[in-house]
Amino acid sequence: MTRGRSLRFDAVVEDPRDMGHLALYITMLTGTLGRRPIHVHVDLARCPSVDAAGVDLLVELHRRLRDLGGRLTLLGPSTQIRHLVQLSGPDALPEMVDAGAPAPGEPSR
């Protein structure tokens, strides 16, 4: 079986309530695209905090994408979000990139 090219999607979360919309969107994508690797960049620079359900959602999304050969990258997570995600355990850690730094696969400026 030949693996196709991976797809990349960018999402911006400005409000913790957007996390539910993000989960629904990714669930639809992973169901529609089957086992094709999906790389998702979630920009959290304008979302200062999320609740425990939001952190659980990010961790589950990371695991689901990883199991399908994809990747989740959190861009500009606040200290609070970074800390809560790190408490989820080492196997639950998506890649986290500071605000302003280029995301993986992007040329540096």
Side-chain angles (χ1 to χ4, degrees), residues 21-98:
H21 299 271
L22 178 63
L24 178 61
Y25 179 67
I26 299 303
T27 299
M28 290 180 350
L29 280 176
T30 55
T32 303
L33 299 172
R35 297 202 55 83
R36 193 167 181 183
I38 302 171
H39 297 209
V40 178
H41 293 178
V42 178
D43 185 341
L44 294 167
R46 290 180 268 179
C47 183
S49 66
V50 295
D51 60 12
V55 171
D56 289 344
L57 190 145
L58 289 171
V59 168
E60 178 57 31
L61 177 57
H62 161 69
R63 288 179 176 148
R64 186 181 314 159
L65 290 170
R66 181 194 62 202
D67 291 348
L68 295 172
R71 180 177 67 238
L72 172 66
T73 302
L74 305 180
L75 305 172
S78 69
T79 303
Q80 185 251 7
I81 294 173
R82 186 180 290 268
H83 177 71
L84 290 173
V85 170
Q86 289 171 335
L87 290 175
S88 299
D91 72 319
L93 291 178
E95 185 170 11
M96 292 186 265
V97 178
D98 291 332

